[in-house]
Each structure stands twice: as structure tokens, then as C-alpha cells.
């Protein structure tokens, strides 16, 4: 849906509203023409139904307006004496068109001092739930969203079982592109297992102003660009062509930002030809082959002493050869002194060994997860040459991220050494948005940009800022399950994370005590 389509739709709604309500405006002591002026007519209507004028803002917020419109329909009917359950149902099931019947075929009398309090406990409960959902949807969409860490790709910085608050306002909140969606759920309605949205209409991409851009080394939540699975970790085999904002949420580290040149050499990341300098909280992990001495390992001690949370597995029992799936360099030095460790060797895919699963997924580049690139990370407004070598790197960007997902038909093909766009020769291309290179700190256990390429700016969701709860999925009991030292800690910052749980509890006790004292005094 383009901006022109949106304007035409708004005009259609205005015409529909005018012809369905102009007599009601007159009965309420207003002028008939006030029903015809966009925005102003909404302010007047809220005065008629005795509701606050700022409700006007709510009807222009996607998703929230889906809740507000039925409320307005019902409130309008009740303001003119249509209070029965039958009237309410007719308004809802006719999508508000019952207002036409009230406007033209009933003797409507305006109830000016109508009580806003529901006439039943059920009505009062429904009203409370509706406005709680509205408030929560606004916070969830534009301010802060809860998020759970499902995988170990950022292990040691973010752990499996961490519950985060993700800021939408740091990078600027996206206005939802999917206009019709179940509030506060992602791509699937819980328990029902069905899609939570309608694929159309789709609104144009818009983002509110933020106070910072994605910086190198930021941990970022984003929509997985190549996602087509029914829902995260679904094994049904069903696939959907999803809207951008309904693709699965991923969290990785932005090791490269727009305008950077990136290369991976023997597992080490180089940005603009210099080694990537990670913050001290980042703990990269790699896989290692371990030659044992025949004494075996205690799995609990591997986790508690050496931080090996991704497990250890046999490679060759006869040779007493193991694989440690992920361990930091700091823990590796301690692990070398384990009584059953004879030697360790990092597992590295050698330079020149081709992995067809690695971006650009054309089976032609001699790249793998440990030796990759160099590549350029596109920046908005920058122009690159398009030729036989760069064709595969930028094809998806041009065809999908700046093509079909923007409602523009773009087909790129290579004939000989010449690139063609929609049948016309194309020698260079200017990018329309910024892109990022996202990777996990768990280098050998992370599905990231090495496998599916660039992350567009319009896929960026937000910035994790706070861990409010952390549960160890492998703990035996509830007390051990809670990682108390991680509760109420910040995601960013330098040094060891500090828990603010004690300060929160003190503040909570003070607030409860103050409220109790005030009530008792009254």
C-alpha cells in the first residue's frame, strides 16, 4: 500500500463517516458540516460521546486503531440511546455500518450527560481489558518490548533463558507495516498455532526518529531477513512469505555497519583492514578438538568451572578424541590444565575450502565460516559497480530488500559479464538504505550473516538494554534455576554486569510503605 493508497483509503473512510453520522452531529447540537472535516470531525465526535479529545491520536496508530474503532462505534450508538446487547452486537458485526440505520431510520435523541460507567460488571471488565490492551500495545510497539534469548549464539554476553527488555526508541520505533494483526503477539497466535496477521494491507516503511544509529559492536534485535518458517523453531515444514515486521526476531552483534569493509581470516574478524575490537563483555567462543587421556569428563564441572555450556561430544572413541562445541579463550587456558586433556586444537575451516551454505550461496566463492570476504557493507546513497563478481553479493538487496519488499518489481540477471535489471543493462547501483553485518559471539554455533547475508535497516527492531529475569533451562530446581546475579542487569556497558535488583526492591518497599501511610492518614 503506497502513500497514495493510504490517502485514498482515509478519504473513503471520511466519506463513509460523513454520510453515516451527519444527522447525529445535528442531534447533538453540532453543525452537519463538522462531520465532513477530517481530524476535526473526530475531535467533535469524541466530545459528542463524552470521551477525551486525545483519543484522536489513538485512531491513527496501526494495530491500536483496530481496537479503538469498535469502541467508538459502540460508544456512538450508546450516546443516542442504543444501549442493548443487540445494538452492541449489530454495531460490531456490521463493522460500524449499523450507525447508518441509527442515522437515517431511527428517532435518535442525544443523551448529553450519559454515564460512562458500564452498567454491568462484565461491561466494566471488558472496558478495563480493552484499554489495558491499548496501553500495552503502544508500549510494546513504540517504547519497549519483552524478548527471550532462545539460542546460545551470544553466549557469555546473553544466555539462553535471559528475559530482556528491548528498546524501540534508541534506533527509532518502526511504525507497524502489517496493518491488521492480533495485538502483542508476533507471527503466530499462541495455542491456536495460526497466523496472527493478514498479509495485506501493508503500510509503507516508516520509522520514528531515534537518538542513535546502530553502532559497530551493538547487540541488535532484528527481523531475520530470509525467514519463511511458520514460526520460530517450527518443524511442520510449512513456509510463508512473511511481511518484514512479522519475520522471526533474531538477536546478534553488529560486527559491521553501513560503509564498512569486512573480512574474516582464520575466524578473526577484520573491519576496514583492522582487527575488530570487541567490548570487554563480549566473549567470543570457538570449537576445539580435544585429545583426552582416557579419564573422562564430569559434565557438571565442565559447565561450572570451564563455562562449557554448549556441551562436549565424541569424535572418535577409539582415539579418545572429543569436540568442545564452544569455549572462550580465557576458559580454554584453564581447560588445558584439566587432568584428562592432553592437547587442544581450534577447529578452523581452511582458506579456500568452499562451503555452499555460506553467503552469497552461489557455490562459486571459496568462502567458509572462518575465512570469508572481503565484502563491502552497503550504505544508503553509496554507489557500487555491478559486474560478474559483485552480482551475487547484491542481487538479493536489489531484488528483495529494495525491490519486492518495497512494492517495486526488480529482476536482476547476469548474461555473460553484463548485469541486467528488468532487461536493461545495469553497470552500477545506488543503495536506498543502510545495511549491517550481524554475527554471534559463539562463532561456530551461530546462524548469522555469514549464512544469509546483509540485514537491511528496515529489518532493525531495537536494542536490548535490560535483563529483568534469567532462568537456567538445565537447572534441576526453581531456586537453582534463577540466575540471581543476572537479574536487573544492563546489557551494555563496561566491566562485569551489576545487578540493580536490591535497589529495585528497596524502592518498591518505600513506595508500598508510602502508599500505606497516606491511606492510613486519610
Amino acid at each position: 500500500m503506497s502513500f497514495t493508497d493510504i490517502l485514498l483509503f482515509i478519504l473513503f473512510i471520511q466519506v463513509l463517516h460523513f454520510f453515516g453520522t451527519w444527522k447525529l452531529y445535528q442531534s447533538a447540537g453540532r453543525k452537519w458540516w463538522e462531520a465532513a472535516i477530517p481530524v476535526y470531525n473526530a475531535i467533535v465526535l469524541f466530545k459528542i460521546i463524552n470521551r477525551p479529545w486525545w483519543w484522536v491520536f489513538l485512531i491513527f496508530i496501526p494495530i491500536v486503531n483496530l481496537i479503538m474503532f469498535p469502541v467508538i462505534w459502540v460508544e456512538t450508538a450508546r450516546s443516542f440511546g442504543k444501549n442493548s446487547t443487540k445494538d452492541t452486537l449489530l454495531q460490531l458485526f456490521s463493522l460500524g455500518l449499523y450507525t447508518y440505520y441509527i442515522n437515517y431510520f431511527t428517532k435518535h435523541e442525544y443523551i448529553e450527560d450519559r454515564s460512562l460507567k458500564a452498567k454491568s460488571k462484565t461491561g466494566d471488565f471488558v472496558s478495563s481489558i480493552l484499554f489495558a490492551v491499548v496501553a500495552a500495545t503502544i508500549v510494546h510497539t513504540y517504547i519497549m518490548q519483552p524478548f527471550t534469548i532462545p539460542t546460545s549464539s551470544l553466549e557469555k554476553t546473553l544466555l539462553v533463558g535471559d528475559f530482556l527488555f528491548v528498546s524501540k526508541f534508541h534506533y527509532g520505533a518502526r511504525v507497524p507495516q502489517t496493518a491488521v494483526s492480533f495485538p502483542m503477539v508476533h507471527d503466530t497466535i499462541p495455542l491456536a498455532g495460526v497466523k496472527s496477521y493478514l498479509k495485506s494491507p501493508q503500510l509503507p516503511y516508516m520509522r520514528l526518529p531515534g537518538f542513535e544509529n546502530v553502532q559497530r559492536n551493538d547487540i541488535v534485535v532484528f527481523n531475520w531477513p530470509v525467514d519463511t518458517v511458520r514460526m520460530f523453531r517450527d518443524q511442520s515444514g510449512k513456509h510463508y512469505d512473511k511481511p518484514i515486521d512479522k519475520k522471526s526476531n533474531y538477536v546478534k552483534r553488529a560486527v559491521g555497519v553501513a560503509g564498512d569493509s569486512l573480512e574474516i581470516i582464520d575466524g578473526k574478524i577484520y573491519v576496514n583492514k583492522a582487527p575488530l575490537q570487541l567490548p570487554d563483555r563480549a566473549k567470543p567462543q570457538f570449537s576445539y578438538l580435544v585429545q583426552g587421556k582416557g579419564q573422562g569428563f564430569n559434565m557438571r564441572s565442565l559447565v561450572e568451572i570451564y563455562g562449557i555450556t554448549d556441551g562436549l561430544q565424541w569424535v572418535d572413541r577409539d582415539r579418545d578424541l572429543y569436540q568442545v562445541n564452544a569455549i572462550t579463550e580465557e576458559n580454554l587456558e584453564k581447560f588445558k590444565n584439566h587432568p584428562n586433556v592432553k592437547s587442544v586444537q581450534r577447529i578452523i575451516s581452511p582458506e579456500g575450502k568452499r562451503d555452499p551454505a555460506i553467503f552469497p550461496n552461489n557455490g562459486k566463492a571459496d568462502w567458509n565460516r572462518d575465512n570469508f570476504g572481503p565484502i563491502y557493507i552497503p550504505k544508503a546513497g553509496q554507489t557500487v559497480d555491478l559486474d560478474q563478481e559483485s552480482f551475487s553479493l547484491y542481487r538479493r538487496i536489489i531484488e528483495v530488500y529494495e525491490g519486492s519488499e518495497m512494492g517495486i518489481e526488480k529482476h536482476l540477471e547476469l548474461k555473460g559479464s553484463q548485469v541486467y535489471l528488468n532487461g536493461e543493462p545495469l553497470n552500477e547501483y545506488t543503495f536506498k538504505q543502510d545495511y549491517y553485518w550481524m554475527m554471534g559471539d559463539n562463532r561456530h554455533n551461530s546462524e548469522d550473516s555469514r549464512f544469509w547475508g546483509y540485514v537491511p535497516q528496515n529489518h532493525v527492531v531495537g536494542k536490548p538494554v535490560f535483563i529483568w529475569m534469567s532462568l537456567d533451562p538445565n537447572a534441576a530446581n526453581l531456586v537453582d534455576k534463577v540466575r540471581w546475579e543476572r537479574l536487573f542487569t544492563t546489557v551494555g556497558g563496561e566491566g562485569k554486569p551489576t545487578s540493580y535488583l536490591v535497589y529495585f526492591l528497596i524502592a518498591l518497599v518505600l513506595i508500598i510503605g508510602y502508599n500505606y501511610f497516606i491511606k492510613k492518614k486519610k
Side-chain angles (χ1 to χ4, degrees):
M1 182 180 280
S2 65
F3 283 105
T4 302
D5 294 331
I6 293 174
L7 290 175
L8 290 174
F9 178 73
I10 292 174
L11 179 61
F12 171 75
I13 294 296
Q14 293 299 320
V15 172
L16 197 67
H17 173 77
F18 169 72
F19 283 107
T21 59
W22 65 274
K23 283 190 174 184
L24 301 181
Y25 276 66
Q26 285 184 318
S27 295
R30 310 295 303 200
K31 303 296 184 182
W32 65 267
W33 52 264
E34 290 181 298
I37 302 176
V39 182
Y40 175 71
N41 56 9
I43 296 174
V44 173
L45 179 63
F46 291 139
K47 288 183 178 180
I48 291 173
I49 66 175
N50 201 18
R51 292 295 184 178
W53 66 269
W54 52 263
W55 274 25
V56 172
F57 295 110
L58 300 181
I59 64 177
F60 288 100
I61 300 176
I63 309 303
V64 172
N65 54 18
L66 297 179
I67 304 170
M68 293 304 302
F69 281 130
V71 172
I72 295 168
W73 299 335
V74 172
E75 291 288 300
T76 301
R78 290 177 177 175
S79 295
F80 293 91
K82 303 300 180 182
N83 294 305
S84 69
T85 301
K86 178 183 176 181
D87 293 319
T88 299
L89 293 176
L90 285 170
Q91 273 286 50
L92 294 175
F93 285 106
S94 68
L95 301 181
L97 294 179
Y98 182 58
T99 308
Y100 273 74
Y101 171 77
I102 301 172
N103 190 58
Y104 290 106
F105 301 107
T106 66
K107 186 179 179 181
H108 36 76
E109 293 184 6
Y110 175 55
I111 306 173
E112 185 173 0
D113 297 321
R114 178 177 66 93
S115 174
L116 298 180
K117 188 175 181 180
K119 296 183 178 180
S120 66
K121 289 184 177 180
T122 302
D124 187 52
F125 174 76
V126 170
S127 297
S128 299
I129 290 296
L130 280 175
F131 284 99
V133 170
V134 168
T137 301
I138 292 173
V139 172
H140 184 275
T141 306
Y142 296 97
I143 302 174
M144 199 77 70
Q145 177 182 345
F147 186 81
T148 307
I149 297 298
T151 69
S152 61
S153 66
L154 283 169
E155 190 77 21
K156 302 299 178 278
T157 302
L158 295 177
L159 309 183
V160 175
D162 280 350
F163 292 80
L164 312 175
F165 283 134
V166 175
S167 165
K168 298 292 187 73
F169 54 84
H170 273 75
Y171 304 137
R174 284 184 313 187
V175 176
Q177 292 176 258
T178 304
V180 182
S181 176
F182 199 84
M184 291 190 301
V185 300
H186 194 54
D187 56 346
T188 309
I189 298 177
L191 302 179
V194 297
K195 285 194 293 186
S196 63
Y197 59 93
L198 296 180
K199 192 176 176 182
S200 60
Q202 284 288 305
L203 302 177
Y205 167 68
M206 292 178 285
R207 187 181 289 274
L208 301 180
F211 60 83
E212 66 179 52
N213 296 319
V214 176
Q215 303 293 318
R216 193 179 303 120
N217 287 325
D218 276 0
I219 295 176
V220 182
V221 173
F222 57 94
N223 297 117
W224 184 26
V226 297
D227 178 34
T228 59
V229 297
R230 186 173 69 98
M231 57 183 176
F232 192 70
R233 284 186 168 173
D234 178 58
Q235 302 295 323
S236 67
K238 293 183 179 179
H239 292 80
Y240 299 140
D241 181 15
K242 294 182 178 180
I244 293 171
D245 56 343
K246 292 302 175 182
K247 294 179 178 181
S248 297
N249 288 326
Y250 266 38
V251 58
K252 306 289 179 187
R253 189 182 300 279
V255 297
V257 297
D260 282 345
S261 175
L262 182 140
E263 186 175 11
I264 303 174
I265 301 175
D266 290 337
K268 191 172 184 65
I269 300 173
Y270 291 79
V271 177
N272 302 325
K273 298 184 178 181
L276 176 67
Q277 299 300 315
L278 290 167
D280 61 359
R281 287 193 186 181
K283 306 294 182 184
Q285 297 186 100
F286 295 90
S287 299
Y288 291 84
L289 284 176
V290 179
Q291 179 64 62
K293 297 180 180 178
Q295 300 173 27
F297 293 97
N298 180 286
M299 299 308 295
R300 185 171 180 176
S301 69
L302 290 181
V303 175
E304 295 178 353
I305 300 175
Y306 306 105
I308 301 175
T309 51
D310 272 11
L312 178 144
Q313 64 192 53
W314 283 105
V315 175
D316 190 327
R317 288 179 181 269
D318 295 332
R319 295 164 55 200
D320 203 34
L321 193 63
Y322 303 83
Q323 177 177 315
V324 173
N325 293 320
I327 188 172
T328 65
E329 291 186 1
E330 180 183 358
N331 284 326
L332 179 67
E333 293 306 311
K334 292 191 293 183
F335 185 62
K336 287 178 180 178
N337 297 319
H338 189 285
N340 189 42
V341 172
K342 184 177 182 180
S343 65
V344 294
Q345 179 184 352
R346 182 182 290 187
I347 299 173
I348 293 290
S349 296
E351 182 182 2
K353 183 180 179 181
R354 182 178 302 171
D355 185 348
I358 292 294
F359 181 80
N361 315 109
N362 60 0
K364 297 179 180 178
D366 294 332
W367 296 346
N368 53 62
R369 65 182 182 178
D370 295 312
N371 285 278
F372 180 94
I375 59 166
Y376 170 72
I377 303 172
K379 183 178 178 65
Q382 292 296 309
T383 301
V384 296
D385 293 332
L386 279 181
D387 51 31
Q388 193 170 0
E389 292 184 3
S390 62
F391 172 78
S392 296
L393 293 175
Y394 306 124
R395 182 177 186 178
R396 183 172 177 84
I397 285 179
I398 297 170
E399 288 188 333
V400 180
Y401 306 146
E402 303 196 353
S404 59
E405 289 185 345
M406 296 295 186
I408 304 168
E409 186 64 33
K410 289 185 176 181
H411 175 63
L412 213 64
E413 59 181 338
L414 182 67
K415 296 180 180 178
S417 59
Q418 178 64 55
V419 178
Y420 291 84
L421 176 62
N422 296 340
E424 298 293 328
L426 184 68
N427 297 315
E428 60 182 28
Y429 183 80
T430 302
F431 299 103
K432 294 178 173 58
Q433 61 178 320
D434 288 340
Y435 292 82
Y436 306 98
W437 196 260
M438 305 289 189
M439 286 177 58
D441 293 346
N442 195 342
R443 297 285 194 254
H444 289 161
N445 190 17
S446 174
E447 185 179 349
D448 51 37
S449 285
R450 290 172 295 177
F451 296 89
W452 32 257
Y454 307 103
V455 175
Q457 171 69 26
N458 63 0
H459 284 58
V460 172
V461 174
K463 182 176 185 176
V465 292
F466 195 70
I467 300 170
W468 63 273
M469 175 59 75
S470 184
L471 300 176
D472 184 352
N474 299 315
N477 56 70
L478 182 59
V479 176
D480 294 335
K481 202 174 188 70
V482 178
R483 301 184 182 109
W484 297 99
E485 74 283 357
R486 294 186 65 80
L487 268 58
F488 285 70
T489 59
T490 56
V491 174
E494 299 294 331
K496 187 177 180 180
T498 302
S499 174
Y500 294 94
L501 177 61
V502 173
Y503 303 102
F504 169 78
L505 293 176
I506 292 172
L508 186 63
V509 169
L510 290 175
I511 292 171
I512 293 173
Y514 175 77
N515 287 336
Y516 174 78
F517 174 77
I518 293 296
K519 287 181 179 179
K520 191 173 183 180
K521 188 176 181 180
K522 287 182 179 180

